[in-house]
């Protein structure tokens, strides 16, 4: 079998077993309910503003709140923020977010309940995309330096009774890791494991782990790899989930639900943040709805199926099929839907034009409806005899991801190469709920490479709205690009400009540029790294100053904010003329 994964049941929902971590009295992992959290975007030196924002987050249901700590004074001021929160009856744990300065992490152990450190810049210098040819001895010496510094920090955390988050961002991998492993999932995982091995060796148990990237498929498959490697090395710390720089509005919610939902569906994840370029409290209802939707799968009726030997859980590729018209084969996944008044989300097939056939009455060239229970020995033989059919798979199981996976794996195990469209019928009372649940169900099947089309139905929502969700899911998994993609961070106390307003203006100016990826980043923590995944980047450089990037290359520095959008458009236009 080519799954290469430890203790993951592809078809049945079971939470991953972890140790328990105590963060200021909040228990994470070890079977406890999944915790939801957010991060302030105020200056951490603005005590009153930060307290009010934390209160809004908690009032929405947030169970932990993170604040940026650029320096020691911000770390110290966490104590004032916590004191004022307690005076107002709020006992929420506070998490210090530290980058670039290990001594700030030391200071934060006295004031925060958990300290997040970024392996990419904890002791390594900020990423410059410089290749360094280390000998094995030189690389080993760097690890000794890392161990000495990190152990000193862990000892402070032990003394203070504080937890740690080892939080790797794909956008801020160090030059050391990049030089040895390249910009690969292996490099991301190793960046994390260097720190986790030290925690294990020092018997430090209050550790939460995260790996984040703006690319949902890479985020999902890299976390899958991390889970395997941790299990192989007998490490079972809880996982924090999130898609970083997800953006805002529909796109941000779909992207987050795709990435987070794909991992939750496999029982992976103990706490999460939905990172939206909006007011932080807006993140909490989205996170809670995702958790609630997937958590009810615990104890569902068992799904009995065998994985397809050709399936690789960590490095999935699209299942090989024989095309039927524009469905399957090398074609992009299709959308079946209603008549839209927006040409940008026009369905490839109208649902009203499709006559679904049962397997028993199916003929060549038909759209054939199937469920897992339909795949009897007799019906499988009938499917093998049919030509030019499209199989339309549906599920009413409490765990639809598991059952739909089982359908496609059974088809593959029996050599049936007909393309598969997933049809999901929901009964949601709002388009907002439909958006999250459809993205959580269908995104993982696209990431796994099992899907040749989407067909979403709901009693509420116009055809345009529902088609838009389907195209959004395809875009979020990069299975089919139909519009501009915005890699936009949610903002924090480090943000150098009005991120939400700027993102809105950039969207208005560039939304017609189908297929282009534009990064809109508040500061340099992940900015330059995430630019490597974007065609162009807009990154906060200083207060009121912006730098522009072409992929990871900075092409214009320290532009006044009021000129930056026009200069970005000029850069894109000049490149398009080449």
């Amino acid at each position: 079998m080519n799954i290469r994964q430890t203790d993951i049941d592809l078809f049945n929902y079971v939470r991953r077993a972890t140790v328990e971590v105590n963060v200021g009295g909040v228990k994470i992992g070890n079977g406890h309910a999944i915790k939801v959290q957010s991060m302030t975007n105020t200056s951490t030196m603005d005590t009153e503003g930060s307290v009010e924002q934390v209160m809004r987050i908690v009032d929405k249901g947030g169970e932990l709140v993170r604040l940026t700590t650029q320096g020691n004074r911000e770390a110290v001021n966490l104590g004032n923020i916590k004191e004022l929160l307690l005076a107002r009856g709020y006992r929420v744990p506070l998490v210090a977010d530290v980058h670039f300065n290990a001594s700030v992490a030391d200071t934060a152990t006295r004031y925060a309940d958990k300290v997040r450190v970024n392996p990419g810049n904890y002791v390594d210098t900020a990423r410059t995309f410089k290749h360094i040819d280390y000998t094995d001895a030189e690389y080993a010496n760097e690890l000794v330096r890392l161990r000495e510094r990190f152990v000193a920090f862990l000892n402070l955390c032990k003394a203070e009774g504080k937890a740690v988050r080892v939080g790797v961002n794909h956008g801020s991998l160090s030059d050391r890791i990049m030089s040895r492993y390249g910009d690969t999932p292996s490099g991301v995982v190793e960046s994390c494991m260097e720190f986790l091995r030290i925690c294990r060796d020092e018997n430090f148990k209050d550790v939460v782990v995260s790996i984040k990237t703006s690319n949902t498929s890479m985020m999902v498959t890299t976390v899958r790899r991390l889970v395997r490697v941790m299990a192989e090395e007998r490490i079972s710390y809880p996982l924090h989930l999130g898609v970083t720089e997800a953006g805002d509005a529909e796109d941000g919610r779909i992207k987050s639900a795709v990435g987070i939902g794909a991992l939750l569906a496999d029982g992976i994840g103990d706490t999460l943040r939905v990172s939206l370029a909006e007011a932080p409290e807006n993140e909490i209802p989205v996170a809670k709805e995702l958790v609630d939707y997937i958590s009810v799968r615990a104890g569902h009726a068992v799904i009995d199926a065998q994985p397809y030997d050709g399936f690789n859980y960590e490095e999935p590729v699209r299942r090989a099929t024989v095309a039927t018209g524009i469905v399957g084969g090398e074609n992009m996944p299709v959308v079946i839907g209603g008549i839209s008044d927006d040409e940008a989300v026009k369905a490839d097939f109208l649902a009203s034009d499709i006559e679904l056939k049962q397997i028993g009455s199916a003929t060549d060239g038909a759209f054939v409806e199937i469920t897992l229970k339909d795949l009897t020995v007799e019906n499988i033989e009938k499917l093998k005899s049919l030509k030019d059919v499209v199989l339309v798979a549906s599920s009413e199981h409490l765990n639809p991801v598991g059952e739909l996976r089982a359908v496609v794996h059974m088809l593959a195990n029996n050599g049936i190469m007909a393309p598969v469209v997933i049809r999901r019928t929901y009964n949601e009372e709002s388009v907002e709920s439909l958006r999250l649940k459809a993205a959580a169900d269908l995104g993982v099947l696209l990431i796994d490479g099992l899907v040749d089309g989407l067909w979403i139905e709901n009693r509420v929502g116009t055809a345009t709205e529902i088609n838009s969700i389907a195209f959004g899911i395809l875009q979020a998994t990069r299975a089919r690009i139909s519009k501009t993609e915005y890699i936009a961070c949610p903002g924090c106390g480090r943000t150098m400009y009005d991120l939400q307003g700027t993102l809105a203006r950039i969207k208005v100016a560039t939304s017609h540029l189908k297929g282009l990826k534009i990064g809109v980043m508040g500061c340099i923590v992940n900015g330059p790294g995430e630019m490597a995944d974007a065609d162009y980047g807009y990154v906060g450089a200083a207060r009121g100053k912006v730098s522009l990037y072409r992929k990871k290359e900075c092409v214009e520095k320290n532009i006044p904010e009021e000129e930056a959008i026009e200069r970005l458009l000029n850069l894109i236009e000049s490149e398009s003329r080449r």
Side-chain angles (χ1 to χ4, degrees):
M1 188 180 298
N2 200 26
I3 295 177
R4 289 167 45 194
Q5 177 59 54
T6 303
D7 297 331
I8 291 293
D9 187 328
L10 292 175
F11 313 114
N12 296 284
Y13 176 80
V14 181
R15 285 280 300 279
R16 169 179 169 263
T18 75
V19 299
E20 180 179 279
V21 171
N22 183 349
V23 183
V26 171
K27 304 295 178 64
I28 297 175
N30 193 32
H32 290 288
I34 297 167
K35 304 300 188 294
V36 300
Q37 56 183 284
S38 185
M39 182 176 183
T40 62
N41 60 17
T42 53
S43 166
T44 308
M45 294 308 298
D46 177 3
T47 304
E48 181 63 32
S50 296
V51 167
E52 290 178 357
Q53 197 168 76
V54 170
M55 290 167 58
R56 290 196 296 273
I57 291 168
V58 175
D59 288 344
K60 288 285 190 177
E63 295 162 287
L64 299 93
V65 180
R66 183 159 44 115
L67 299 92
T68 188
T69 49
Q70 299 98 309
N72 283 306
R73 66 179 195 140
E74 285 86 359
V76 171
N77 203 51
L78 288 177
N80 297 323
I81 292 170
K82 177 173 279 292
E83 183 177 336
L84 189 52
L85 283 166
L86 288 172
R88 296 182 183 179
Y90 288 77
R91 302 186 63 86
V92 61
L94 301 184
V95 182
D97 192 61
V98 180
H99 298 274
F100 305 120
N101 192 334
S103 69
V104 174
D106 295 345
T107 301
T109 61
R110 301 199 296 273
Y111 304 99
D113 298 288
K114 181 169 71 172
V115 182
R116 181 272 176 98
V117 297
N118 182 343
N121 55 40
Y122 179 71
V123 295
D124 289 307
T125 56
R127 180 173 177 176
T128 62
F129 303 100
K130 179 173 65 177
H131 184 82
I132 307 168
D133 290 318
Y134 290 99
T135 66
D136 289 344
E138 289 170 337
Y139 200 88
N141 286 336
E142 290 295 302
L143 295 183
V144 169
R145 182 171 68 92
L146 164 62
R147 177 176 288 273
E148 290 175 350
R149 185 65 187 86
F150 192 53
V151 167
F153 166 67
L154 292 180
N155 287 337
L156 290 174
C157 291
K158 286 180 182 179
E160 297 286 346
K162 303 301 174 62
V164 173
R165 170 148 75 99
V166 175
V168 177
N169 279 357
H170 175 232
S172 55
L173 292 178
S174 68
D175 287 338
R176 176 176 61 81
I177 285 288
M178 292 281 287
S179 297
R180 175 59 65 101
Y181 295 94
D183 190 7
T184 64
S186 293
V188 177
V189 169
E190 184 60 24
S191 178
C192 191
M193 290 302 300
E194 289 178 350
F195 282 68
L196 299 187
R197 293 180 188 116
I198 297 171
C199 293
R200 176 197 60 195
D201 295 346
E202 295 298 312
N203 197 31
F204 188 86
K205 297 180 179 178
D206 282 328
V207 182
V208 178
V209 189
S210 69
I211 285 178
K212 295 187 180 184
T213 175
S214 63
N215 181 323
T216 59
S217 294
M218 183 175 184
M219 172 263 193
V220 169
T221 56
T222 304
V223 172
R224 289 174 175 178
R225 181 184 296 257
L226 173 68
V227 169
R228 172 180 58 82
V229 173
M230 288 174 66
E232 289 172 352
E233 300 195 25
R234 300 183 182 279
I235 293 173
S236 56
Y237 298 124
L239 283 165
H240 169 119
L241 305 183
V243 178
T244 192
E245 291 95 39
D248 65 351
E250 178 179 76
D251 290 343
R253 284 161 175 77
I254 288 177
K255 201 170 185 181
S256 295
V258 164
I260 295 170
L263 293 167
L264 289 179
D266 287 336
I268 297 171
D270 305 282
T271 180
L272 62 91
R273 179 198 177 189
V274 172
S275 298
L276 299 176
E278 300 178 14
E281 59 267 27
N282 291 355
E283 299 175 350
I284 300 301
V286 179
K288 288 175 68 67
E289 187 161 9
L290 276 175
V291 170
D292 291 346
Y293 180 57
I294 293 179
S295 295
V296 297
R297 297 174 189 177
H300 65 72
V302 173
I303 298 168
D304 186 14
Q306 292 297 315
Y308 171 53
D309 281 343
F311 178 67
N312 189 323
Y313 185 69
E314 291 178 19
E315 299 175 9
V317 296
R318 189 173 172 187
R319 167 178 164 261
T321 61
V322 175
T324 297
I326 64 169
V327 188
E330 299 299 318
N331 296 301
M332 296 181 296
V334 298
V335 170
I336 298 175
I339 300 174
S340 171
D341 55 14
D342 183 350
E343 191 69 19
V345 291
K346 181 181 178 182
D348 300 288
F349 296 90
L350 292 179
S352 57
D353 291 342
I354 293 177
E355 182 182 358
L356 283 174
K357 297 288 188 179
Q358 299 297 314
I359 295 176
S361 59
T363 57
D364 291 348
F367 281 77
V368 183
E369 187 172 23
I370 62 169
T371 64
L372 183 61
K373 68 180 181 181
D374 292 328
L375 296 182
T376 62
V377 173
E378 179 182 4
N379 281 343
I380 286 172
E381 290 305 312
K382 173 67 182 290
L383 290 175
K384 286 180 179 180
S385 71
L386 295 174
K387 297 179 181 178
D388 297 326
V389 295
V390 175
L391 304 181
V392 179
S394 62
S395 170
E396 295 183 0
H397 196 280
L398 185 61
N399 181 9
V401 170
E403 188 169 69
L404 289 166
R405 270 178 169 165
V407 168
V408 184
H409 278 260
M410 186 173 289
L411 294 172
N413 279 328
N414 284 279
I416 296 171
M417 299 183 68
V420 174
V421 170
I422 302 297
R423 183 188 187 190
R424 285 286 288 149
T425 301
Y426 294 88
N427 191 32
E428 299 304 317
E429 295 183 356
S430 70
V431 172
E432 289 74 19
S433 290
L434 174 65
R435 182 181 295 128
L436 294 180
K437 294 177 181 181
D441 289 338
L442 303 175
V444 60
L445 301 174
L446 284 159
I447 289 170
D448 283 353
L450 306 179
V451 176
D452 300 292
L454 302 181
W455 183 348
I456 301 171
E457 297 176 316
N458 194 59
R459 63 186 181 86
V460 171
T462 66
T464 299
E465 290 171 325
I466 296 174
N467 290 358
S468 181
I469 292 170
F471 280 105
I473 296 168
L474 293 174
Q475 175 100 10
T477 56
R478 299 189 179 177
R480 177 173 176 175
I481 305 301
S482 57
K483 54 188 172 183
T484 314
E485 179 175 349
Y486 299 95
I487 301 170
C489 77
C492 67
R494 296 176 183 268
T495 302
M496 299 297 183
Y497 58 89
D498 173 17
L499 191 142
Q500 293 176 31
T502 300
L503 175 59
R505 292 193 296 276
I506 289 175
K507 279 188 165 185
V508 169
T510 61
S511 60
H512 62 289
L513 301 173
K514 175 181 174 181
L516 207 64
K517 297 195 290 290
I518 299 175
V520 184
M521 313 296 293
C523 72
I524 62 169
V525 171
N526 296 315
E530 293 297 349
M531 292 311 96
D533 195 45
D535 299 296
Y536 298 96
Y538 182 109
V539 180
R543 291 295 171 192
K545 301 289 185 181
V546 172
S547 293
L548 300 181
Y549 284 72
R550 180 194 304 111
K551 294 193 178 294
K552 62 185 180 182
E553 176 191 2
C554 183
V555 293
E556 294 192 53
K557 293 183 178 180
N558 299 319
I559 303 166
E561 181 184 349
E562 56 271 18
E563 301 176 13
I565 293 180
E566 183 178 356
R567 299 271 281 274
L568 173 64
L569 295 175
N570 290 339
L571 174 62
I572 294 171
E573 185 179 349
S574 66
E575 295 282 326
S576 67
R577 290 197 297 260
R578 290 186 178 182

